[in-house]
Amino acid sequence: MWEKKVYMNEKNTVFSGVQPSGDPQLGNYLGAFKGWVERQEEKDNYFCVVDLHALTVTPDPIELRKQTRELAAILFACGIDPDKSTLFVQSHVSSHAESCWLLNCVTPIGWLERMTQFKDKSKGQERVSTGLLDYPVLMAGDILLYDAQEVPVGEDQKQHVELARDIAERFNRIYGETFVIPEPVIPEIGGRVMGLNDPNVKMSKSYSHIRGHAVRMLDDPKEIERSFMRAVTDSSNEIRFSDDPDRAGVNNLLGIYKVITGKPEESVERDFYDARGYGDLKKAVAEVVIEELSPIREKYHQLINDVEELDRLLSIGAEQARAISDQKLRLMKEKMGLIVS
Ligand code: ATP
Ligand code: LTN
């Protein structure tokens, strides 16, 4: 009876993180933030601005501090509600960096050298920081400290979540049951928004300074319209979903329209039966994006102009995160044979 009651009241724990590494873009919103907000009620949520991860590529200190606050403000503006979710900055909760060291000691180095992101980011670089190699272990700590069952991420981060599972299993095997084994959750829709200047490359905030690549979440309506009007398409003038790589531009535009309007594909295509060409499609997509992002931009400006309130919200988040993660860190230390005071 007691067990049943606990089970019925229990929500799955969700953990996800985002790096303050550039201007948040439409892909971050559709592939991540929108879903986080929509599912807040159903889950026990931890959302983290992962500033320690951002350090792996040596950002400018002033920019990093600024982008950390901006990203947190954007997340609150999207609708992350401090009464329903814990939103905090990674470096405010010291158990993240500490758990990374402990997990390093059970992670074979070969597991890290095999990571696709590490190989991509280190390719052609003369010097690569140890932090870049160790990035997935810090990420494993983020997830495992909260016993998260679900980790919503884009396709590109699936390998890192799988590594977190391997690390958790190895730790449990060596030291006894300690961690819940997490699952990556990849959104079906909005999973991959592509660059407007090159629809074969994922839209990404670290390229958001490149002209024509991204729609930044804080762009004003004129800029958003301009970006869509310049978007790369093809010469066929056919407004239909397709997996043909030559038609990736139009497919991307239709995908964005579909996620925002929530319409099924047939109905999206029907909306463009009478369109006179790609110009009409681009205008329609720009319109729904502008409508979606405008209230977020307004709320963002209110919050970012009240840094005291923003920092207050973040310190509440950090306190809530500490209450959970400190206990798990203590357990890890005990299991590993450290003297816990
Ligand atoms: P960076 O350029 O710093 O890697 P990014 O824009 O690729 O940044 P991340 O910080 O890696 O974004 O990811 C934050 C979240 O946004 C993740 O869940 C990721 O999967 C999602 N995301 C990022 N870009 C896209 C995209 N183009 N389409 C869908 N989801 C995306
Ligand atoms: N590596 C992730 C960000 C990230 C994360 C996490 C995501 C850091 N820690 C824990 C999920 C869970 C990225 O670049 N998107």
Side-chain angles (χ1 to χ4, degrees):
M1 187 62 196
W2 177 82
E3 260 180 27
K4 193 167 181 194
K5 195 164 154 218
V6 167
Y7 174 72
M8 279 169 66
N9 287 337
E10 220 171 62
K11 292 179 175 178
N12 261 7
T13 300
V14 171
F15 189 101
S16 199
V18 54
Q19 294 191 66
S21 53
D23 295 327
Q25 37 83 17
L26 186 62
N28 298 130
Y29 177 68
L30 296 181
F33 310 163
K34 189 172 159 67
W36 297 358
V37 170
E38 283 170 1
R39 284 184 288 279
Q40 278 185 107
E41 301 275 0
E42 303 152 31
K43 315 275 176 178
D44 187 14
N45 312 285
Y46 294 87
F47 299 122
C48 187
V49 176
V50 292
D51 53 348
L52 298 174
H53 277 106
L55 286 178
T56 56
V57 290
T58 344
D60 174 69
I62 293 171
E63 273 301 297
L64 177 60
R65 209 166 358 254
K66 184 165 162 272
Q67 288 181 341
T68 300
R69 283 206 179 91
E70 284 174 358
L71 182 53
I74 286 184
L75 289 168
F76 284 124
C78 284
I80 297 290
D81 178 345
D83 290 332
K84 295 182 191 146
S85 301
T86 299
L87 170 57
F88 67 104
V89 174
Q90 191 183 32
S91 65
H92 292 176
V93 181
S94 59
S95 47
H96 288 248
E98 254 189 279
S99 65
C100 178
W101 176 256
L102 303 181
L103 296 175
N104 274 336
C105 297
V106 300
T107 307
I109 201 161
W111 289 8
L112 303 180
E113 286 164 340
R114 276 201 296 276
M115 290 293 108
T116 316
Q117 180 175 296
F118 174 69
K119 288 197 260 178
D120 288 349
K121 290 207 171 173
S122 57
K123 207 185 309 165
Q125 302 285 334
E126 206 177 303
R127 280 206 189 88
V128 172
S129 74
T130 309
L132 197 63
L133 179 68
D134 207 24
Y135 181 111
V137 182
L138 181 61
M139 181 163 160
D142 295 343
I143 299 165
L144 301 179
L145 281 171
Y146 299 86
D147 280 337
Q149 287 107 332
E150 298 176 29
V151 185
V153 283
E155 197 55 55
D156 60 320
Q157 294 297 311
K158 192 168 166 220
Q159 195 184 34
H160 286 162
V161 182
E162 278 160 2
L163 187 86
R165 289 170 62 92
D166 292 343
I167 294 175
E169 277 165 2
R170 190 168 155 85
F171 191 104
N172 286 350
R173 220 171 21 251
I174 300 173
Y175 295 111
E177 254 347 90
T178 309
F179 296 123
V180 165
I181 309 299
E183 291 278 351
V185 178
I186 317 286
E188 270 170 47
I189 46 172
R192 215 167 150 82
V193 175
M194 309 309 282
L196 297 184
N197 59 340
D198 180 351
N200 293 305
V201 170
K202 181 183 89 97
M203 191 180 282
S204 163
K205 70 177 128 52
S206 38
Y207 302 142
S208 56
H209 58 282
I210 296 173
R211 199 164 171 261
H213 170 76
V215 169
R216 288 167 300 201
M217 289 183 66
L218 300 176
D219 281 348
D220 64 40
K222 280 238 154 55
E223 279 171 284
I224 296 179
E225 188 172 349
R226 228 177 290 133
S227 305
F228 278 112
M229 293 320 281
R230 272 201 304 256
V232 169
T233 47
D234 55 72
S235 54
S236 80
N237 246 349
E238 222 182 300
I239 306 184
R240 269 200 296 113
F241 285 95
S242 114
D243 350 326
D244 180 350
D246 292 337
R247 315 215 41 232
V250 169
N251 201 54
N252 189 36
L253 294 174
L254 287 171
I256 293 170
Y257 184 90
K258 175 181 155 187
V259 181
I260 293 186
T261 58
K263 293 182 180 179
E265 294 195 354
E266 312 77 70
S267 148
V268 169
E269 289 177 351
R270 216 174 304 126
D271 281 357
F272 297 104
Y273 276 172
D274 299 330
R276 281 175 311 242
Y278 289 158
D280 283 1
L281 169 67
K282 289 174 175 182
K283 243 191 223 126
V285 179
E287 231 166 70
V288 294
V289 170
I290 289 167
E291 201 178 315
E292 180 88 7
L293 294 183
S294 290
I296 296 174
R297 201 175 58 248
E298 261 170 48
K299 262 198 221 138
Y300 165 83
H301 285 298
Q302 283 166 11
L303 250 182
I304 206 71
N305 286 322
D306 189 354
V307 172
E308 234 173 79
E309 173 62 4
L310 180 60
D311 287 355
R312 187 185 73 82
L313 292 175
L314 289 174
S315 76
I316 294 173
E319 208 175 301
Q320 290 169 349
R322 258 180 238 122
I324 304 296
S325 60
D326 283 357
Q327 288 179 40
K328 185 60 94 180
L329 184 72
R330 203 184 156 85
L331 179 65
M332 290 169 74
K333 288 179 174 173
E334 272 170 7
K335 297 251 181 178
M336 294 179 93
L338 303 181
I339 297 171
V340 177
S341 56

